[in-house]
Amino acid sequence: MAVLPDPAASRAVLIGTSRYAHLEQIPAVANNLSALAAALCAPGSWGLAPEHCTVIEDPGTAVEVLEAVRTAAEEATDTLLVYFAGHGLVEPRRGELFLGLTGSMQHRSYTGLPYGTLRDVVLDGRAGRQVMLLDCCFSGRVLGFMSAASAEVVIDQVEIEGTYLLASVPDTSFALAPPGETHTAFTGELLRLLREGVPGGPELLDLDTVYAQVYAALRAKGRPLPQKRDRNTAGGLALARNAAWAPPGFGPPPPPYDHEPTAPPPPYGHEPTQPPPYDHEPTPPPTPLPAVPPMPTWSPMALPSPAPLPSPGGASRGRRRAVTYGLAGALVVALVAAGVPLAMSWMKGSSKDDSGQHPSKPKSSGEAKPGPTSGYNAAAKGAVVNASTKPGGTLKFISRNDADYWDPQRTYYGYIWNFSRYYARQLVTYAPKPGKDGAELVPDLAEKTARVTNGGKTYTYTLRQGITWEDGSPITSYDIKYGIERVWAQDEIPGGPIFLQETLDPDLTYKGPYKDNSKDKLGLKAIGTPNDRTIVFNLPKPNGDFERMLATPSGSPVKKEKDTKGKYTEKPFSSGPYKFGYYQPGKSLELVRNAQWKRPSDPIRTALPDRITVDVNGDEQANARALFSGQYDLDLGSSGLTGAALTKARSGSDLSARLDNPYTQGLVLAALPRSVKPLDNVHCRKAVLYAADRENMQTASGGVLSGDIAPHMLPPTVTGSDSSYDPYETGEKRGKPNATKAEAELKACGKPNGFTTTIAVRNNRPADVAVAESLRSSLEKVGIATDIDQVDGAQYGVTMGAPEAVKKKGYGIVIYRWGPDVPTGQSFLRLLADSRFIEKTGNLNVAEVDDPTIDHLFDTAIAEQDPGRAGSDYAQINRRISDSAAYLPILFQKSVLWRGSRLTNVYTSDPWQGGYDYVSLGVSK
């Protein structure tokens, strides 16, 4: 039976911080304090004496709070209630929660009040029962991930009998302060319950009833759900009298009352709810994304505040593939939203050995199980076509273009990244496996993948024995450091990605090896080389994609004595199984065996061919004919067959059996810039998305072989993508438009008769122009009139990268294609959706997405070491982008590849843009 605590023997301490010197303001918190104090002291509620209810508003120091709580804890002999509302901070190493004070700073947890200390003061008092109510708002800066079971274990360790903990949100969500509402979301429902009561409910509102009612109210509004934990009979402790209670026989029969919610609260990760509207505008409920926590309708970071500072150095401007990795959030451990600290290991994968590292046992493609010898799309279905371990022969490539650079630190062509592994190795690389399995990172020059310490900021590797250069000398840690340091020499050897530079040295304090004044020319402090076989990377901020950056050619070693700077691209010094033979720029290249390469030292490369050749010919159709005749084995660029060549290949059974149609990781999309009226209104943007006939656009692009209809922004090959997520019913309608909903959105945006805008498209991509024509046709059917401006392809990036130019020209719809450097959400989504990378020139966030929640989700996801957990973050970002209708996703791109009949060990692999894994290929004689 519920018991109301004795007001005379009980105390309450209400703590709230609404004003911050360095963080966003939360004015609703001040309202919480005054209203909650009034509710607890009301005679018809708890009846607590005002002098027994201490309100601490905007505390400046931890001592101020702790002394007040200590006093209350010593005076209370029945019940002590402590309430907190405000920002939360996290100590990154131990995962301890700190409560925000007026002087608290982001990423400086020591400027707050340690929750553990507050808890100890509460438990050290004389009260027989303790109640903790926590309405912690993390402002999107802290997004922890852990299972419900883990939460139970942690709380078990820190609570005692008679304790009740009620938290506003689960460990994976934000506390909310909805715009236009007087109170924060959780406290607002609590106050409503105390004021209005529960018709038909019990006379006293015990804590379990409070929890059940608040849970049900928040669930009905699609907001994050509260969590509770109690000891012994604490759940039967009453918080207040039920204001709606009437003695039996008085008044009309009350509505039925349920003590528990309609269904028991499931684990939070299994409670998908409608994701929030962007800019707080109504949105049709999309299909829920399973196992992804709901995003907040609002968090305090959405309040007007100074814009977040971009990463020092910013993004690589003018480079399509370049992605800035340097803005990882410093908060990199899981956190229980209720305020219970949780220290978690960075490395949670089940594939680790006892040392915490990943075992180095990748399977060579030479050990592949027997698969088909031919068949349409056979190599794109996870099988190895024509498996063989026989060495010998010449593998012959044809290419429309020469490499941008053969120099591993300078190349930015994806197919050269793939090809360069013949002569350039890295500490880690991708597994020689088909499909998604190929995205697994495995050791290459290193014995194991990294030992990650220091909260995800330190990566340590030990090099394999027996790894050598083409002259037989050993490859050392100094060679790897020197090769990476060359990325800093952009003034002398420009061209390649600079994400390693931005991640290791975001302030650009190092000037590169050619301007290095240190004796050994190895002055980059972020990389340590304690000895020949050990290399240590120290990141200023954790970044879960760091090893994937090292797996790119930028992470290749270069022997300092062989570095010819700008001429190195003509003959890189080999660390792999092949070395440069004859090379005539723009015409041909020959790779020959590197006799100093030792097979036992390389578990990745089969090195089956005796020679590898590349011939360059700019005539794409002539190249296709040469492939079909057997003169060459495959196209180096792997961009796929088009036009007459594709028609011919599909027309004959002997040719079509050698075609594969894999995903490329790319997306055909249209940005809807919010600076162009009326696309500044989310409903006008949604009208475009509902009116678009994506089935017709697929046909215009080249049919089903060109790609799958895209219901959202994340391609299937990127972790975080979910095939069931269909926010605009695109998949349900098989890409056909929904005119009814489009017309409803036009009415909602004040344009019931439609509007006029301009579609921008490259003039040198016929397929994209055809997509634009198709889109114009479907939009016209709901009254949206469009002009198509075919922009010079050479100037397209410059024009679309200038928001002022886009606005001036009235480009309300901009069609283009996008792909990641590596198959992660950071690489794919960040430059498209992080507002901190909106630039006056070189802008890649063409839609001008400006959502602080997305920005902070990126910080959290980037800091996360577990790919699955990071994928959940990117899934949430994907949902929020969909809600904003900032982009019209059109097609998940595919290419049509040709494999010659002589090829062995053929399979497509995700990290190589869906192309064939070159280092596993062999040829039959």
Side-chain angles (χ1 to χ4, degrees), residues 370-452:
T373 57
S374 188
Y376 172 72
N377 219 25
K381 294 181 178 180
V384 178
V385 173
N386 204 15
S388 174
T389 59
K390 294 180 180 179
T394 299
L395 174 60
K396 301 177 182 179
F397 289 90
I398 185 68
S399 180
R400 185 176 180 183
N401 301 297
D402 198 352
D404 54 344
Y405 299 98
W406 298 109
D407 183 336
Q409 271 77 37
R410 299 182 71 181
T411 179
Y412 222 150
Y413 285 0
Y415 59 89
I416 302 301
W417 285 17
N418 191 355
F419 185 88
S420 67
R421 293 184 302 151
Y422 284 130
Y423 57 86
R425 298 177 65 181
Q426 295 82 41
L427 285 165
V428 292
T429 188
Y430 290 102
K433 300 177 182 178
K436 289 186 176 181
D437 291 342
E440 175 193 356
L441 285 176
V442 294
D444 188 356
L445 290 171
E447 289 183 338
K448 299 179 180 181
T449 54
R451 179 168 62 88
V452 184

Side-chain angles (χ1 to χ4, degrees), residues 10 57 198 200 232 255 288 341-342 398 404 434 471 475 520 524 576 608 668:
S10 300
E57 184 174 355
V198 181
N232 200 13
L342 174 67
I398 185 68
D404 54 344
D471 62 358
I475 298 171
D520 58 4
L524 178 61
L608 295 178
V668 180

Side-chain angles (χ1 to χ4, degrees), residues 197-221:
V198 181
E203 180 179 1
L204 299 178
L205 297 177
D206 61 76
L207 290 167
D208 280 343
T209 297
V210 169
Y211 166 68
Q213 293 296 307
V214 172
Y215 181 102
L218 290 170
R219 182 178 184 179
K221 294 181 178 180

Side-chain angles (χ1 to χ4, degrees), residues 687 690-692 733 736-746 778 781-782:
Y690 278 119
K733 290 185 171 294
K736 300 305 292 183
N738 189 327
T740 301
K741 288 192 174 182
E743 290 166 358
E745 294 293 345
L746 287 172
S778 60
K781 294 177 182 178
V782 296

Side-chain angles (χ1 to χ4, degrees), residues 84 204 271 324 423 431 478 534 599 633 674:
F84 173 79
L204 299 178
E271 185 56 45
T324 299
Y423 57 86
Y478 314 116
T534 304
R599 187 175 298 277
D633 298 304
R674 294 199 296 166

Side-chain angles (χ1 to χ4, degrees), residues 364-374 378-379 382-391 432 434 606 608 899-907 920-924:
S364 168
S365 59
E367 302 171 356
K369 295 180 180 180
T373 57
S374 188
V384 178
V385 173
N386 204 15
S388 174
T389 59
K390 294 180 180 179
T606 60
L608 295 178
R899 47 183 151 81
S901 60
R902 297 193 319 137
L903 289 176
T904 62
N905 301 328
V906 193
Y907 57 86
S920 292
L921 294 174
V923 290
S924 58

